[in-house]
Amino acid sequence: MSIFSPSRYITCVEHIDLDALWASGKRAILLDRDNTLVPRDRTCAPESVAAWLDHARELGFELIMVSNNWHVSHVSRSAGELGMDYISFACKPLPFAITAGMKRLGARKEEAVMVGDQLYTDVWGGKLAGVTTILVKPQSTADLWYTQIFRIFERMALRGVPCEE
């Protein structure tokens, strides 16, 4: 499997089957913020995302937000509202923040999964860190100008990759 191929491609975070993830031995979920948990054109996560995260905690998952967003106030506010620790300005695809997140959670590589909406940051970073990756479709079409450019290449790379509902 290519470094740019996610382990799974799913329509949204809430459609990730947490029970199946737990049964597969995963114990830690590292999550991107923008357009994964919080739509880029909003300041808060949808209630469905918060409910999904609550279920993850009920099952025993350790959670941490690992975001490239350099606005610490935005990331810390979202992480606080969603009840998890965070790392901002993660510089993904460099794997260092993902590795640091696993260390904070006390998780080994085989127990961790990185979930995000960008192939060239979240998936690549997760692969470089040696963890399972789940790519989700962006929650919003609003993106930073440079992310919009990457989205063109993502669409080409994902052509023919089935997206689970």
Side-chain angles (χ1 to χ4, degrees):
M1 191 174 280
S2 161
I3 194 166
F4 294 118
S5 296
S7 304
R8 295 179 65 198
Y9 182 30
I10 299 181
T11 54
C12 61
V13 165
E14 304 94 316
H15 289 174
I16 298 170
D17 184 340
L18 291 166
D19 296 300
L21 209 56
W22 185 267
S24 73
K26 301 304 179 194
R27 299 296 181 260
I29 306 174
L30 300 98
L31 298 137
D32 178 54
R33 178 189 182 270
D34 297 315
N35 265 341
T36 300
L37 296 177
V38 180
R40 189 82 175 111
D41 54 0
R42 294 183 48 195
T43 57
C44 298
E47 287 189 27
S48 58
V49 169
W52 182 85
L53 291 168
D54 287 341
H55 182 58
R57 279 187 282 277
E58 288 168 5
L59 290 172
F61 281 103
E62 297 292 333
L63 307 171
I64 189 167
M65 186 180 295
V66 181
S67 175
N68 277 359
N69 193 321
W70 59 82
H71 298 286
V72 177
S73 62
H74 297 184
V75 178
S76 65
R77 182 183 64 242
S78 294
E81 289 170 358
L82 296 171
M84 69 180 78
D85 195 3
Y86 68 92
I87 297 171
S88 63
F89 197 55
C91 298
K92 295 173 291 185
L94 295 175
F96 307 117
I98 295 169
T99 302
M102 286 188 296
K103 186 174 181 178
R104 282 192 202 176
L105 299 179
R108 298 183 319 264
K109 292 177 184 184
E110 59 274 5
E111 297 175 317
V113 60
M114 177 67 210
V115 178
D117 69 298
Q118 290 190 57
L119 190 61
Y120 299 114
T121 57
D122 304 312
V123 171
W124 195 12
K127 293 279 189 164
L128 290 172
V131 302
T132 298
T133 57
I134 299 177
L135 180 67
V136 296
K137 287 189 173 185
Q139 289 187 349
S140 156
T141 56
D143 264 321
L144 299 169
W145 67 269
Y146 53 85
T147 304
Q148 291 175 1
I149 295 168
F150 283 118
R151 296 281 187 211
I152 295 166
F153 296 102
E154 281 182 3
R155 282 190 295 275
M156 292 187 308
L158 292 171
R159 195 172 296 139
V161 176
C163 183
E164 302 171 39
E165 290 296 322

